[in-house]
Amino acid sequence: MKRLIKYLPILFVLPLIFANCIKDERPDCPEELFTVTVTPDSVQLSYIAHTPASQKLTVTCLTLEGLPDDTYLWTLSMPSDADPWLLLTLDSTGQAGKGTSVSGTGAQFVYLVAQENKTAAKRVTELFIDNQATVAVTVTQDMMPLEITPANITLSGVPHNPASQTVSVSSNEPWTLTSSQPWLFLSLNANGSQPLKTINSEGTRTVYLVTEGNSGDVRTSEIYLNNNAQDVRVTVKQESLIAESGQAEPRIFIFESGDGKKLLLTKDPTNYGAYFQFGSVIAWNWSDIIARYNPTNNTNLSNWNGIWNNGNKEVVHTNTELLLGRGDPCRLVGYTEAEIRTALAAGRVPDNGQWRLPTNADIIVFGLQLSEWTTINGIAGRVFTINGGLGGTFLPAAGRKIPESAAYGQRGNMGFYIGSSIYNDSFFPYSLFFSQQFVDVSDHRDGQSQGFSVRCMRQ
């Protein structure tokens, strides 16, 4: 006990002597009085900005005896000429005290704050303890990868200029995107202008898709990178305006799906199709007496007027007319209700660019063809031959919707197909109508309020 008391003054003095002993600043400091280590010795950061990075540094200070010491003042720093894309701080939020060097005593956490790497290469910096030559930590930040999203896009069959779905490119390097098919164009402009098959750009950009309407089979185009057809980054599929692939019998029917109701064309002889008043874009399904497609909601659907389109002798397809529920339903084939409402609210006129109502001349030419009453899959109708040939277009005897009874009449016995104009000075639509006994091309005396079939023509 006397020996311990004898050395107590010395034991208390040593910490005071070496408490602020920083190497190379005091000659009386022992060379290896303290050991300062940093873990990990290498850090890999992604290219994004980090405030702070999820991986932090741990600084440990030990005495010669390997015991923790919280008195030694150390400094962790980058070279003075380093690019300051990386900053150090003792603040866990990464907000305060940021700099190219940081000092602390004893055991501490050091947090890394990194800027986004917008260069075209990885970047590296080194950290040193107390400005010594030995590297304590190496920090590497990745370069931004070239990313193109999404990988798959599906477009409806209507024209898109531009499409609502876009391609996003993220890169720090120049790049080229090419469409593999002539129907798909690419644009760097939000309005779809200056569309090209191949575009060149750099950095992070949005690429807009431009297509025409598709009245053929479902089609697919690939977008590949940097003139390498093997490096496909996006696959674009465009649906058809026709429900089934192949040669269509262009009658409109109502198609319902998760993205909203829309009008499509069908070649199915068992589908009577939808029914329209003259010049109306509001459709009634063949299997139901209620309105199933009403893009405007501005028309009284329960009480049809005796003369629905009084004043317009020709169907006018404009924004103003569409807002009244009038227009050319063939031009709306492929659009969902939501798309139509969006276009009308923006002052645009939705038009698929592929189909239209037949004119008087179209109906006369079609109705003068030879035809034969027949039955296909149990559905009665007429096949209109082409130049007297055996093949032709089958039109079912779909009947009509009768306004007085809100029911359907003459289904299976007669067909009524209206055009885009009123006959002479009457208020009656020009029509092709037929039964088993006759075919006529004239006005239909039951007036505009009837619900008739529509056969679309190519624009």
Side-chain angles (χ1 to χ4, degrees), residues 109-160:
F109 290 130
V110 176
Y111 299 89
L112 306 178
V113 177
Q115 300 173 1
E116 181 184 9
N117 185 5
K118 296 183 179 180
T119 68
K122 289 185 177 181
R123 51 190 182 186
V124 180
T125 192
E126 296 173 332
L127 307 179
F128 301 88
I129 284 289
D130 295 342
N131 298 316
Q132 299 301 302
T134 302
V135 176
V137 184
T138 301
V139 180
T140 304
Q141 187 176 34
D142 295 331
M143 62 181 291
M144 178 185 292
L146 191 152
E147 295 180 341
I148 303 175
T149 56
N152 295 280
I153 292 176
T154 298
L155 302 177
S156 63
V158 299
H160 297 270

Tab-separated table of all heavy atoms in Angstrom, residues 109-160:
chain	number	residue	atom	x	y	z
A	109	PHE	N	-18.224	8.221	-34.834
A	109	PHE	CA	-18.739	7.858	-36.152
A	109	PHE	C	-18.515	9.038	-37.082
A	109	PHE	O	-18.774	10.187	-36.714
A	109	PHE	CB	-20.228	7.526	-36.104
A	109	PHE	CG	-20.550	6.241	-35.387
A	109	PHE	CD1	-21.522	6.217	-34.409
A	109	PHE	CD2	-19.885	5.066	-35.706
A	109	PHE	CE1	-21.839	5.033	-33.756
A	109	PHE	CE2	-20.185	3.881	-35.039
A	109	PHE	CZ	-21.156	3.863	-34.069
A	110	VAL	N	-18.073	8.758	-38.295
A	110	VAL	CA	-17.921	9.783	-39.324
A	110	VAL	C	-18.893	9.441	-40.451
A	110	VAL	O	-18.901	8.312	-40.964
A	110	VAL	CB	-16.479	9.840	-39.857
A	110	VAL	CG1	-16.383	10.851	-41.013
A	110	VAL	CG2	-15.517	10.202	-38.740
A	111	TYR	N	-19.699	10.428	-40.837
A	111	TYR	CA	-20.742	10.209	-41.840
A	111	TYR	C	-20.305	10.814	-43.167
A	111	TYR	O	-19.727	11.905	-43.219
A	111	TYR	CB	-22.054	10.824	-41.366
A	111	TYR	CG	-22.533	10.211	-40.070
A	111	TYR	CD1	-22.135	10.746	-38.838
A	111	TYR	CD2	-23.347	9.087	-40.074
A	111	TYR	CE1	-22.560	10.172	-37.650
A	111	TYR	CE2	-23.774	8.517	-38.885
A	111	TYR	CZ	-23.373	9.059	-37.671
A	111	TYR	OH	-23.790	8.480	-36.498
A	112	LEU	N	-20.598	10.090	-44.249
A	112	LEU	CA	-20.187	10.497	-45.593
A	112	LEU	C	-21.356	11.152	-46.319
A	112	LEU	O	-22.462	10.608	-46.364
A	112	LEU	CB	-19.711	9.275	-46.384
A	112	LEU	CG	-18.611	8.434	-45.724
A	112	LEU	CD1	-18.280	7.226	-46.592
A	112	LEU	CD2	-17.363	9.275	-45.467
A	113	VAL	N	-21.094	12.318	-46.885
A	113	VAL	CA	-22.096	13.050	-47.664
A	113	VAL	C	-21.553	13.181	-49.080
A	113	VAL	O	-20.481	13.776	-49.284
A	113	VAL	CB	-22.378	14.432	-47.065
A	113	VAL	CG1	-23.373	15.192	-47.930
A	113	VAL	CG2	-22.893	14.298	-45.633
A	114	ALA	N	-22.277	12.610	-50.066
A	114	ALA	CA	-21.768	12.578	-51.443
A	114	ALA	C	-22.747	13.241	-52.393
A	114	ALA	O	-23.962	13.119	-52.246
A	114	ALA	CB	-21.520	11.137	-51.881
A	115	GLN	N	-22.201	13.955	-53.366
A	115	GLN	CA	-23.011	14.502	-54.445
A	115	GLN	C	-23.313	13.398	-55.460
A	115	GLN	O	-22.622	12.385	-55.523
A	115	GLN	CB	-22.261	15.649	-55.141
A	115	GLN	CG	-21.912	16.813	-54.237
A	115	GLN	CD	-21.026	17.829	-54.945
A	115	GLN	OE1	-20.695	17.669	-56.115
A	115	GLN	NE2	-20.634	18.863	-54.220
A	116	GLU	N	-24.367	13.609	-56.260
A	116	GLU	CA	-24.664	12.662	-57.342
A	116	GLU	C	-23.519	12.661	-58.352
A	116	GLU	O	-22.961	13.714	-58.682
A	116	GLU	CB	-25.967	13.049	-58.047
A	116	GLU	CG	-26.345	12.105	-59.169
A	116	GLU	CD	-27.583	12.558	-59.906
A	116	GLU	OE1	-28.048	13.693	-59.659
A	116	GLU	OE2	-28.093	11.786	-60.732
A	117	ASN	N	-23.175	11.489	-58.808
A	117	ASN	CA	-22.094	11.378	-59.784
A	117	ASN	C	-22.643	11.607	-61.182
A	117	ASN	O	-23.258	10.719	-61.786
A	117	ASN	CB	-21.443	9.996	-59.695
A	117	ASN	CG	-20.228	9.892	-60.605
A	117	ASN	OD1	-19.820	10.863	-61.235
A	117	ASN	ND2	-19.649	8.706	-60.676
A	118	LYS	N	-22.433	12.792	-61.710
A	118	LYS	CA	-22.909	13.128	-63.046
A	118	LYS	C	-21.810	12.994	-64.088
A	118	LYS	O	-22.006	13.368	-65.246
A	118	LYS	CB	-23.471	14.551	-63.051
A	118	LYS	CG	-24.699	14.702	-62.168
A	118	LYS	CD	-25.279	16.099	-62.252
A	118	LYS	CE	-26.530	16.225	-61.377
A	118	LYS	NZ	-27.119	17.576	-61.449
A	119	THR	N	-20.665	12.494	-63.676
A	119	THR	CA	-19.587	12.280	-64.624
A	119	THR	C	-19.807	10.972	-65.358
A	119	THR	O	-20.671	10.174	-65.012
A	119	THR	CB	-18.226	12.253	-63.913
A	119	THR	OG1	-18.153	11.065	-63.087
A	119	THR	CG2	-18.058	13.470	-63.023
A	120	ALA	N	-19.006	10.710	-66.368
A	120	ALA	CA	-19.134	9.496	-67.168
A	120	ALA	C	-18.180	8.410	-66.707
A	120	ALA	O	-17.805	7.533	-67.481
A	120	ALA	CB	-18.893	9.818	-68.641
A	121	ALA	N	-17.742	8.464	-65.444
A	121	ALA	CA	-16.809	7.453	-64.932
A	121	ALA	C	-16.960	7.355	-63.423
A	121	ALA	O	-17.546	8.232	-62.775
A	121	ALA	CB	-15.369	7.824	-65.299
A	122	LYS	N	-16.444	6.273	-62.869
A	122	LYS	CA	-16.385	6.171	-61.415
A	122	LYS	C	-15.436	7.235	-60.874
A	122	LYS	O	-14.541	7.699	-61.570
A	122	LYS	CB	-15.854	4.789	-61.001
A	122	LYS	CG	-16.814	3.643	-61.231
A	122	LYS	CD	-16.223	2.354	-60.672
A	122	LYS	CE	-17.201	1.195	-60.824
A	122	LYS	NZ	-16.665	-0.058	-60.269
A	123	ARG	N	-15.612	7.611	-59.620
A	123	ARG	CA	-14.676	8.543	-59.012
A	123	ARG	C	-14.260	8.010	-57.642
A	123	ARG	O	-15.033	7.354	-56.947
A	123	ARG	CB	-15.265	9.938	-58.911
A	123	ARG	CG	-16.631	10.060	-58.269
A	123	ARG	CD	-17.170	11.469	-58.459
A	123	ARG	NE	-18.474	11.661	-57.826
A	123	ARG	CZ	-19.202	12.768	-57.945
A	123	ARG	NH1	-18.739	13.786	-58.657
A	123	ARG	NH2	-20.387	12.875	-57.358
A	124	VAL	N	-13.003	8.346	-57.293
A	124	VAL	CA	-12.375	7.773	-56.096
A	124	VAL	C	-11.690	8.884	-55.310
A	124	VAL	O	-11.085	9.795	-55.895
A	124	VAL	CB	-11.344	6.693	-56.478
A	124	VAL	CG1	-10.705	6.096	-55.229
A	124	VAL	CG2	-11.999	5.602	-57.316
A	125	THR	N	-11.801	8.817	-54.006
A	125	THR	CA	-11.034	9.714	-53.147
A	125	THR	C	-10.485	8.916	-51.980
A	125	THR	O	-11.011	7.849	-51.635
A	125	THR	CB	-11.887	10.892	-52.654
A	125	THR	OG1	-11.031	11.877	-52.068
A	125	THR	CG2	-12.899	10.445	-51.624
A	126	GLU	N	-9.407	9.426	-51.362
A	126	GLU	CA	-8.755	8.735	-50.246
A	126	GLU	C	-8.816	9.600	-48.996
A	126	GLU	O	-8.813	10.841	-49.078
A	126	GLU	CB	-7.308	8.420	-50.605
A	126	GLU	CG	-7.185	7.451	-51.779
A	126	GLU	CD	-5.742	7.274	-52.232
A	126	GLU	OE1	-4.950	8.239	-52.048
A	126	GLU	OE2	-5.395	6.201	-52.762
A	127	LEU	N	-8.894	8.948	-47.856
A	127	LEU	CA	-8.942	9.634	-46.574
A	127	LEU	C	-7.723	9.240	-45.745
A	127	LEU	O	-7.297	8.070	-45.759
A	127	LEU	CB	-10.226	9.273	-45.822
A	127	LEU	CG	-11.553	9.467	-46.570
A	127	LEU	CD1	-12.725	9.042	-45.689
A	127	LEU	CD2	-11.714	10.907	-47.015
A	128	PHE	N	-7.194	10.214	-45.017
A	128	PHE	CA	-5.980	10.006	-44.231
A	128	PHE	C	-6.216	10.435	-42.787
A	128	PHE	O	-6.987	11.362	-42.518
A	128	PHE	CB	-4.813	10.813	-44.809
A	128	PHE	CG	-4.479	10.460	-46.237
A	128	PHE	CD1	-5.125	11.107	-47.282
A	128	PHE	CD2	-3.534	9.487	-46.526
A	128	PHE	CE1	-4.832	10.790	-48.587
A	128	PHE	CE2	-3.232	9.174	-47.836
A	128	PHE	CZ	-3.882	9.825	-48.881
A	129	ILE	N	-5.534	9.763	-41.851
A	129	ILE	CA	-5.553	10.156	-40.444
A	129	ILE	C	-4.358	11.050	-40.169
A	129	ILE	O	-3.206	10.688	-40.478
A	129	ILE	CB	-5.505	8.917	-39.524
A	129	ILE	CG1	-6.874	8.232	-39.501
A	129	ILE	CG2	-5.090	9.288	-38.112
A	129	ILE	CD1	-7.927	9.018	-38.755
A	130	ASP	N	-4.632	12.212	-39.587
A	130	ASP	CA	-3.579	13.141	-39.165
A	130	ASP	C	-2.594	13.447	-40.284
A	130	ASP	O	-1.386	13.605	-40.047
A	130	ASP	CB	-2.830	12.585	-37.952
A	130	ASP	CG	-3.721	12.464	-36.733
A	130	ASP	OD1	-4.792	13.108	-36.715
A	130	ASP	OD2	-3.357	11.710	-35.808
A	131	ASN	N	-3.116	13.495	-41.539
A	131	ASN	CA	-2.287	13.881	-42.688
A	131	ASN	C	-1.096	12.964	-42.899
A	131	ASN	O	-0.076	13.375	-43.459
A	131	ASN	CB	-1.811	15.332	-42.558
A	131	ASN	CG	-2.973	16.309	-42.535
A	131	ASN	OD1	-3.911	16.183	-43.316
A	131	ASN	ND2	-2.917	17.270	-41.617
A	132	GLN	N	-1.211	11.733	-42.441
A	132	GLN	CA	-0.134	10.777	-42.646
A	132	GLN	C	-0.203	10.219	-44.069
A	132	GLN	O	-1.235	10.290	-44.743
A	132	GLN	CB	-0.228	9.639	-41.626
A	132	GLN	CG	-0.101	10.107	-40.192
A	132	GLN	CD	1.235	10.808	-39.953
A	132	GLN	OE1	2.300	10.231	-40.164
A	132	GLN	NE2	1.175	12.055	-39.519
A	133	ALA	N	0.871	9.637	-44.534
A	133	ALA	CA	0.956	9.150	-45.906
A	133	ALA	C	0.147	7.878	-46.124
A	133	ALA	O	-0.229	7.559	-47.255
A	133	ALA	CB	2.426	8.909	-46.280
A	134	THR	N	-0.119	7.143	-45.074
A	134	THR	CA	-0.833	5.875	-45.209
A	134	THR	C	-2.325	6.135	-45.397
A	134	THR	O	-2.939	6.869	-44.621
A	134	THR	CB	-0.630	4.992	-43.968
A	134	THR	OG1	0.773	4.784	-43.797
A	134	THR	CG2	-1.341	3.669	-44.124
A	135	VAL	N	-2.912	5.530	-46.435
A	135	VAL	CA	-4.340	5.697	-46.713
A	135	VAL	C	-5.136	4.937	-45.668
A	135	VAL	O	-4.945	3.738	-45.454
A	135	VAL	CB	-4.686	5.183	-48.122
A	135	VAL	CG1	-6.192	5.271	-48.367
A	135	VAL	CG2	-3.923	5.971	-49.172
A	136	ALA	N	-6.050	5.653	-45.013
A	136	ALA	CA	-6.896	5.016	-44.011
A	136	ALA	C	-8.154	4.418	-44.634
A	136	ALA	O	-8.606	3.337	-44.254
A	136	ALA	CB	-7.277	6.014	-42.921
A	137	VAL	N	-8.758	5.149	-45.588
A	137	VAL	CA	-10.008	4.704	-46.214
A	137	VAL	C	-9.984	5.106	-47.684
A	137	VAL	O	-9.534	6.201	-48.028
A	137	VAL	CB	-11.242	5.341	-45.540
A	137	VAL	CG1	-12.529	4.788	-46.154
A	137	VAL	CG2	-11.234	5.120	-44.045
A	138	THR	N	-10.493	4.226	-48.550
A	138	THR	CA	-10.715	4.537	-49.959
A	138	THR	C	-12.215	4.534	-50.226
A	138	THR	O	-12.905	3.550	-49.939
A	138	THR	CB	-10.034	3.512	-50.872
A	138	THR	OG1	-8.627	3.497	-50.605
A	138	THR	CG2	-10.265	3.854	-52.337
A	139	VAL	N	-12.732	5.664	-50.754
A	139	VAL	CA	-14.161	5.783	-51.045
A	139	VAL	C	-14.334	5.859	-52.559
A	139	VAL	O	-13.756	6.726	-53.217
A	139	VAL	CB	-14.777	7.028	-50.381
A	139	VAL	CG1	-16.271	7.111	-50.699
A	139	VAL	CG2	-14.549	6.993	-48.874
A	140	THR	N	-15.155	4.944	-53.096
A	140	THR	CA	-15.420	4.894	-54.535
A	140	THR	C	-16.903	5.116	-54.780
A	140	THR	O	-17.749	4.550	-54.086
A	140	THR	CB	-15.011	3.523	-55.121
A	140	THR	OG1	-13.638	3.277	-54.825
A	140	THR	CG2	-15.232	3.484	-56.623
A	141	GLN	N	-17.218	5.956	-55.768
A	141	GLN	CA	-18.619	6.165	-56.144
A	141	GLN	C	-18.828	5.712	-57.580
A	141	GLN	O	-18.098	6.099	-58.492
A	141	GLN	CB	-19.025	7.626	-56.000
A	141	GLN	CG	-20.524	7.845	-56.222
A	141	GLN	CD	-20.947	9.280	-55.995
A	141	GLN	OE1	-20.193	10.210	-56.287
A	141	GLN	NE2	-22.156	9.478	-55.487
A	142	ASP	N	-19.848	4.874	-57.770
A	142	ASP	CA	-20.147	4.353	-59.100
A	142	ASP	C	-20.604	5.456	-60.031
A	142	ASP	O	-21.132	6.487	-59.600
A	142	ASP	CB	-21.251	3.293	-59.030
A	142	ASP	CG	-20.810	2.057	-58.261
A	142	ASP	OD1	-19.609	1.753	-58.263
A	142	ASP	OD2	-21.687	1.403	-57.652
A	143	MET	N	-20.443	5.219	-61.337
A	143	MET	CA	-21.014	6.103	-62.342
A	143	MET	C	-22.485	5.734	-62.534
A	143	MET	O	-22.918	4.627	-62.201
A	143	MET	CB	-20.269	5.958	-63.668
A	143	MET	CG	-20.362	4.558	-64.281
A	143	MET	SD	-19.465	4.390	-65.844
A	143	MET	CE	-20.487	5.402	-66.886
A	144	MET	N	-23.248	6.660	-63.042
A	144	MET	CA	-24.671	6.395	-63.293
A	144	MET	C	-24.805	5.340	-64.385
A	144	MET	O	-24.260	5.491	-65.474
A	144	MET	CB	-25.384	7.674	-63.722
A	144	MET	CG	-26.857	7.464	-64.057
A	144	MET	SD	-27.654	8.951	-64.712
A	144	MET	CE	-27.645	10.006	-63.269
A	145	PRO	N	-25.543	4.256	-64.130
A	145	PRO	CA	-25.746	3.266	-65.187
A	145	PRO	C	-26.720	3.799	-66.225
A	145	PRO	O	-27.566	4.642	-65.928
A	145	PRO	CB	-26.348	2.074	-64.436
A	145	PRO	CG	-27.037	2.694	-63.273
A	145	PRO	CD	-26.214	3.891	-62.882
A	146	LEU	N	-26.617	3.317	-67.460
A	146	LEU	CA	-27.566	3.697	-68.481
A	146	LEU	C	-28.822	2.863	-68.263
A	146	LEU	O	-28.807	1.648	-68.425
A	146	LEU	CB	-26.996	3.469	-69.873
A	146	LEU	CG	-27.812	4.087	-71.014
A	146	LEU	CD1	-26.920	4.425	-72.187
A	146	LEU	CD2	-28.946	3.191	-71.459
A	147	GLU	N	-29.911	3.515	-67.882
A	147	GLU	CA	-31.162	2.831	-67.597
A	147	GLU	C	-32.250	3.336	-68.536
A	147	GLU	O	-32.361	4.537	-68.776
A	147	GLU	CB	-31.588	3.054	-66.145
A	147	GLU	CG	-30.627	2.442	-65.128
A	147	GLU	CD	-31.074	2.690	-63.702
A	147	GLU	OE1	-31.889	3.614	-63.504
A	147	GLU	OE2	-30.629	1.963	-62.799
A	148	ILE	N	-33.043	2.416	-69.054
A	148	ILE	CA	-34.157	2.753	-69.927
A	148	ILE	C	-35.386	2.035	-69.392
A	148	ILE	O	-35.395	0.809	-69.285
A	148	ILE	CB	-33.886	2.346	-71.386
A	148	ILE	CG1	-32.600	3.013	-71.893
A	148	ILE	CG2	-35.057	2.716	-72.277
A	148	ILE	CD1	-32.194	2.579	-73.273
A	149	THR	N	-36.406	2.790	-69.048
A	149	THR	CA	-37.617	2.195	-68.484
A	149	THR	C	-38.853	2.838	-69.112
A	149	THR	O	-38.792	3.976	-69.581
A	149	THR	CB	-37.666	2.414	-66.955
A	149	THR	OG1	-37.567	3.822	-66.670
A	149	THR	CG2	-36.534	1.678	-66.259
A	150	PRO	N	-39.990	2.107	-69.142
A	150	PRO	CA	-40.146	0.719	-68.742
A	150	PRO	C	-39.694	-0.230	-69.836
A	150	PRO	O	-39.388	0.209	-70.949
A	150	PRO	CB	-41.656	0.610	-68.515
A	150	PRO	CG	-42.220	1.567	-69.528
A	150	PRO	CD	-41.256	2.716	-69.578
A	151	ALA	N	-39.673	-1.523	-69.550
A	151	ALA	CA	-39.226	-2.503	-70.535
A	151	ALA	C	-40.330	-2.859	-71.529
A	151	ALA	O	-40.040	-3.294	-72.644
A	151	ALA	CB	-38.723	-3.769	-69.832
A	152	ASN	N	-41.604	-2.665	-71.120
A	152	ASN	CA	-42.725	-3.029	-71.985
A	152	ASN	C	-43.802	-1.950	-71.927
A	152	ASN	O	-44.128	-1.443	-70.858
A	152	ASN	CB	-43.330	-4.367	-71.553
A	152	ASN	CG	-42.359	-5.513	-71.719
A	152	ASN	OD1	-42.168	-6.029	-72.819
A	152	ASN	ND2	-41.731	-5.921	-70.624
A	153	ILE	N	-44.331	-1.606	-73.106
A	153	ILE	CA	-45.391	-0.605	-73.215
A	153	ILE	C	-46.465	-1.151	-74.153
A	153	ILE	O	-46.153	-1.721	-75.208
A	153	ILE	CB	-44.849	0.728	-73.759
A	153	ILE	CG1	-43.921	1.387	-72.733
A	153	ILE	CG2	-45.976	1.679	-74.134
A	153	ILE	CD1	-43.269	2.656	-73.229
A	154	THR	N	-47.720	-0.990	-73.764
A	154	THR	CA	-48.838	-1.364	-74.627
A	154	THR	C	-49.663	-0.118	-74.935
A	154	THR	O	-50.093	0.589	-74.019
A	154	THR	CB	-49.731	-2.423	-73.966
A	154	THR	OG1	-48.954	-3.610	-73.730
A	154	THR	CG2	-50.904	-2.779	-74.861
A	155	LEU	N	-49.856	0.154	-76.229
A	155	LEU	CA	-50.634	1.301	-76.681
A	155	LEU	C	-51.946	0.821	-77.282
A	155	LEU	O	-52.010	-0.267	-77.870
A	155	LEU	CB	-49.855	2.093	-77.732
A	155	LEU	CG	-48.479	2.629	-77.329
A	155	LEU	CD1	-47.820	3.322	-78.514
A	155	LEU	CD2	-48.590	3.585	-76.149
A	156	SER	N	-52.984	1.622	-77.158
A	156	SER	CA	-54.245	1.299	-77.807
A	156	SER	C	-54.116	1.502	-79.306
A	156	SER	O	-53.121	2.054	-79.801
A	156	SER	CB	-55.356	2.171	-77.231
A	156	SER	OG	-55.107	3.528	-77.508
A	157	GLY	N	-55.131	1.089	-80.051
A	157	GLY	CA	-55.043	1.135	-81.506
A	157	GLY	C	-55.232	2.502	-82.113
A	157	GLY	O	-55.055	2.664	-83.324
A	158	VAL	N	-55.570	3.508	-81.312
A	158	VAL	CA	-55.804	4.855	-81.850
A	158	VAL	C	-54.474	5.558	-82.091
A	158	VAL	O	-53.425	5.116	-81.614
A	158	VAL	CB	-56.668	5.672	-80.875
A	158	VAL	CG1	-58.020	5.007	-80.679
A	158	VAL	CG2	-55.971	5.854	-79.538
A	159	PRO	N	-54.475	6.666	-82.824
A	159	PRO	CA	-53.218	7.405	-83.032
A	159	PRO	C	-52.687	7.968	-81.716
A	159	PRO	O	-53.444	8.337	-80.821
A	159	PRO	CB	-53.620	8.535	-83.983
A	159	PRO	CG	-54.888	8.092	-84.607
A	159	PRO	CD	-55.591	7.261	-83.591
A	160	HIS	N	-51.394	8.071	-81.613
A	160	HIS	CA	-50.738	8.637	-80.438
A	160	HIS	C	-49.699	9.645	-80.915
A	160	HIS	O	-48.725	9.275	-81.560
A	160	HIS	CB	-50.047	7.550	-79.609
A	160	HIS	CG	-50.993	6.538	-79.053
A	160	HIS	ND1	-51.589	6.669	-77.824
A	160	HIS	CD2	-51.446	5.371	-79.565
A	160	HIS	CE1	-52.365	5.634	-77.598
A	160	HIS	NE2	-52.301	4.830	-78.640
